[in-house]
Amino acid sequence: MRNYQAHRNNPYYLPRSLYRRVVTLIQDYDRMVEERADIIWETPEIGSDMPRGSGPGDPTANKALRLARIEGDLEAIDQALIRIPADYRAAVLRLVQSGGPYPQGANERTYRRWKQTLIYHTAKNLHLI
């Protein structure tokens, strides 16, 4: 399914490049959750503690920075999901992540509106607008 945002009478309209950036971030949600769990159990490269080694200078600080970035992105998406009614959350997240047909139970327009709300508030939570 094509990612499209209505231009007319849309209070949640975003510039095209920003819209694509936020949609890509939301599509990456599951991978970020897995990476957040994996960062804690990572081990540094062999030889990274040696002088003039090829590994990072401070692996603990690098892990902390990566974890903080991922936590910030996940928190922005989670806070935007809270604005969507509980009945629609899973379906709207799935629509943004993988597209596909709209689920039964509500009108297609309803899902489009909540999808646009999720994308807009994620961008707002990331301080991109």
Side-chain angles (χ1 to χ4, degrees):
M1 178 176 56
R2 200 174 109 201
N3 280 318
Y4 172 78
Q5 62 175 335
H7 296 184
R8 185 177 274 176
N9 297 328
N10 184 3
Y12 301 125
Y13 180 77
L14 296 173
R16 187 176 185 182
S17 61
L18 179 59
Y19 180 83
R20 287 182 176 178
R21 180 177 173 186
V22 175
V23 167
T24 303
L25 182 73
I26 295 171
Q27 289 173 343
D28 204 24
Y29 183 83
D30 294 332
R31 187 203 57 85
M32 287 190 297
V33 169
E34 290 176 11
E35 185 177 351
R36 178 180 59 183
D38 291 342
I39 285 176
I40 296 170
W41 300 107
E42 283 182 353
T43 57
E45 292 180 16
I46 296 174
S48 65
D49 57 345
M50 301 296 289
R52 298 186 186 135
S54 62
D58 190 358
T60 305
N62 291 339
K63 284 169 63 170
L65 290 173
R66 284 179 37 217
L67 189 60
R69 187 190 75 240
I70 291 170
E71 284 288 335
D73 292 345
L74 290 174
E75 182 67 23
I77 296 170
D78 290 338
Q79 289 299 317
L81 276 170
I82 290 173
R83 294 181 171 266
I84 297 173
D87 297 341
Y88 300 114
R89 281 183 195 149
V92 169
L93 185 61
R94 185 188 57 78
L95 282 171
V96 175
Q97 287 180 332
S98 63
Y102 288 96
Q104 298 294 323
N107 192 347
E108 182 178 320
R109 188 172 181 184
T110 302
Y111 284 111
R112 282 185 186 161
R113 183 177 65 235
W114 289 120
K115 178 181 166 183
Q116 187 64 37
T117 302
L118 172 66
I119 295 167
Y120 177 84
H121 285 291
T122 300
K124 192 169 186 172
N125 292 340
L126 290 170
H127 305 290
L128 298 174
I129 54 172

